[in-house]
C-alpha cells in the first residue's frame, strides 16, 4: 500500500517478489535433483529402524525381472543394500562381447566404484546358437567389467517397482539422471513403468515453477491501494495457491496412470494459473 501510495509502478513492486520466487525455484530444482533421493532413502532408513528390521539399509526386491533393453541384459536380485552398494541373491543374463550367452548366479555382488564384483557363484556360457550344453564354472570372486549398471540404477528401479499406486507418484524421489537411466534401459513393453517415469520427469520440471506461479498470482492481488483490498487480496492468494497445488497433486497421478498424457497432466495447472496470474498483473496495472 505504501509503495503504491508513493507512486511506484506495479512492475517495481512485483520485481523483488519475482526475483525471490526465481531463487526459490532454483533451490527446489537443485534439491529435487541432488538432495531429495538421498533424503527419501534416509527417511526409509528411519522407518525401517523404528520397525525393528534387521538391516534397515537393505531393500527387499519385488519378484520382478529388471530388463536393461539397451544392453540386452536381465537382472533378478533378492535384495539391494544401499549404503554398501551390494546386492544379494543375484541372477544376471546377457550376451557377452564374444557373442556368447552368459549367465551368472551368485550369492552377492558389490560395486567397487567402476564395476560389479560377484562372490560365491556359478557362471554359465553357451558358445553359439548350435551349442546345447552350457559350460559351467564355479568361482569365489568374479569381476565382470561389461556389466555397467550403477547402484543408482538399481535404486531407481526398485523405488519405481515398489510404487504400486500411481497416486503416490508425487512421493517418489527420482533425479533426472535416474529417470534417464531407467528409460534408456527399460523394456519396450513396460508401458506402465514408462508412464510413471514420464509423469515423474514432468513433475520434476513443473514443481520448481510453483513459487513463480504463486508469486504471479499473489503480487497483483496484494498490490491494490486500499487496505480492504489488501486483506482480500491476501486471502484470495491463499485460496488460489491452495487450489493450484491441489490441481497439481490431482492431475499428476492421472498422467502416471496413463489416463492423461504426462505432459498435459503436469503442465495444465502451471499454464492455467500462470495465465490467470498474467491477467491479474495486466488488470492491476490499470486499476
Amino acid at each position: 500500500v505504501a509503495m503504491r501510495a508513493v507512486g511506484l509502478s506495479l512492475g517495481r513492486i512485483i520485481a523483488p517478489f519475482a526475483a525471490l520466487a526465481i531463487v526459490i525455484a532454483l533451490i527446489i530444482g537443485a534439491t529435487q535433483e541432488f538432495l531429495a533421493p538421498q533424503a527419501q532413502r534416509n527417511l526409509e532408513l528411519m522407518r525401517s529402524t523404528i520397525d525393528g528390521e534387521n538391516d534397515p539399509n537393505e531393500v527387499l526386491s519385488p519378484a520382478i525381472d529388471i530388463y536393461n533393453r539397451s544392453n540386452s541384459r536381465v537382472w533378478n536380485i533378492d535384495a539391494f543394500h544401499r549404503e554398501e552398494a551390494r546386492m544379494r541373491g543375484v541372477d544376471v543374463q546377457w550376451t557377452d562381447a564374444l557373442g556368447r550367452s552368459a549367465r551368472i548366479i551368485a550369492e552377492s555382488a558389490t560395486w567397487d566404484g567402476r564395476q560389479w564384483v560377484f562372490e560365491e557363484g556359478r557362471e554359465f556360457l553357451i558358445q553359439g546358437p548350435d551349442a546345447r550344453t552350457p559350460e559351467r564354472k564355479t568361482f569365489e570372486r568374479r569381476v565382470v567389467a561389461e556389466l555397467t549398471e550403477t547402484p543408482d540404477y538399481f535404486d531407481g528401479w526398485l523405488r519405481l517397482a515398489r510404487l504400486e499406486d500411481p497416486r503416490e507418484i508425487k512421493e517418489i524421489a527420482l533425479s533426472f539422471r535416474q529417470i534417464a537411466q531407467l528409460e534408456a534401459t527399460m523394456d519396450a513393453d513396460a508401458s506402465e513403468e514408462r508412464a510413471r517415469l514420464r509423469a515423474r520427469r514432468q513433475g520434476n520440471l513443473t514443481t520448481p515453477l510453483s513459487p513463480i506461479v504463486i508469486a504471479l498470482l499473489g503480487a497483483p492481488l496484494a498490490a491494490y491501494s486500499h487496505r480492504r483490498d489488501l486483506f482480500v487480496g491476501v486471502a484470495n492468494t491463499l485460496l488460489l495457491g491452495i487450489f493450484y497445488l491441489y490441481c497439481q497433486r490431482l492431475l499428476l497421478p492421472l498422467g502416471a496412470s496413463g489416463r492423461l498424457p504426462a505432459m498435459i497432466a503436469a503442465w495444465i495447472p502451471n499454464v492455467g494459473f500462470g495465465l490467470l496470474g498474467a491477467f491479474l498483473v495486466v488488470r492491476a496495472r490499470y486499476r
Side-chain angles (χ1 to χ4, degrees):
V1 174
M3 287 187 286
R4 290 296 298 272
V6 298
L8 289 180
S9 67
L10 183 62
R12 289 284 302 277
I13 296 173
I14 292 178
F17 296 101
L20 180 60
I22 292 172
V23 170
I24 295 174
L26 293 174
I27 292 173
I28 292 175
T31 299
Q32 283 187 157
E33 185 67 13
F34 302 108
L35 298 181
Q38 182 60 48
Q40 191 170 69
R41 287 194 286 268
N42 292 342
L43 177 60
E44 292 169 356
L45 174 61
M46 290 173 59
R47 288 173 175 168
S48 300
T49 304
I50 292 171
D51 292 340
E53 296 184 7
N54 293 331
D55 192 345
N57 274 305
E58 191 171 68
V59 181
L60 296 179
S61 172
I64 61 169
D65 290 326
I66 300 174
Y67 291 95
N68 184 333
R69 176 178 55 83
S70 60
N71 293 300
S72 301
R73 290 196 282 266
V74 182
W75 293 78
N76 193 288
I77 62 176
D78 291 339
F80 176 68
H81 199 289
R82 287 169 170 157
E83 292 298 318
E84 298 178 4
R86 175 171 51 84
M87 299 184 289
R88 179 166 55 82
V90 186
D91 184 348
V92 56
Q93 303 176 53
W94 78 101
T95 301
D96 68 12
L98 300 177
R100 301 174 298 181
S101 295
R103 182 179 185 182
I104 285 181
I105 301 175
E107 290 292 328
S108 65
T110 304
W111 181 256
D112 67 359
R114 295 179 301 172
Q115 57 204 358
W116 290 102
V117 180
F118 295 87
E119 297 175 346
E120 302 295 335
R122 295 164 290 165
E123 182 178 10
F124 303 87
L125 290 174
I126 299 178
Q127 294 292 346
D130 297 329
R132 296 185 178 181
T133 304
E135 296 179 9
R136 175 176 172 174
K137 300 177 183 177
T138 59
F139 59 84
E140 294 184 0
R141 188 175 185 273
R142 172 82 162 86
V143 177
V144 185
E146 60 190 294
L147 301 180
T148 55
E149 293 87 344
T150 64
D152 265 355
Y153 172 77
F154 291 102
D155 181 50
W157 244 113
L158 294 176
R159 196 178 297 281
L160 188 68
R162 292 161 68 91
L163 182 66
E164 297 178 355
D165 191 342
R167 289 176 295 182
E168 298 175 359
I169 191 66
K170 287 285 288 183
E171 313 306 327
I172 183 173
L174 289 173
S175 66
F176 284 115
R177 182 168 54 84
Q178 285 179 308
I179 293 171
Q181 282 181 330
L182 292 173
E183 276 195 327
T185 59
M186 191 169 288
D187 187 78
D189 296 329
S191 57
E192 293 183 5
E193 289 81 2
R194 285 184 178 277
R196 293 175 184 180
L197 282 178
R198 284 194 293 266
R200 186 60 269 171
R201 174 189 282 115
Q202 296 301 325
N204 284 7
L205 288 172
T206 56
T207 298
L209 298 178
S210 300
I212 298 175
V213 173
I214 291 177
L216 199 60
L217 290 170
L221 289 175
Y224 295 145
S225 56
H226 300 295
R227 288 182 183 274
R228 179 177 56 83
D229 288 339
L230 172 64
F231 294 115
V232 171
V234 171
N236 287 339
T237 300
L238 289 174
L239 292 175
L240 284 173
I242 292 171
F243 186 52
Y244 161 65
L245 296 175
Y246 175 77
C247 287
Q248 275 192 328
R249 297 192 69 88
L250 177 68
L251 290 175
L252 194 61
L254 294 180
S257 64
R259 297 178 184 177
L260 277 178
M263 183 175 292
I264 292 177
W267 286 92
I268 279 180
N270 293 278
V271 173
F273 283 90
L275 290 175
L276 175 60
F279 167 75
L280 292 174
V281 169
V282 173
R283 190 186 71 163
R285 290 187 62 186
Y286 299 101
R287 188 176 174 89

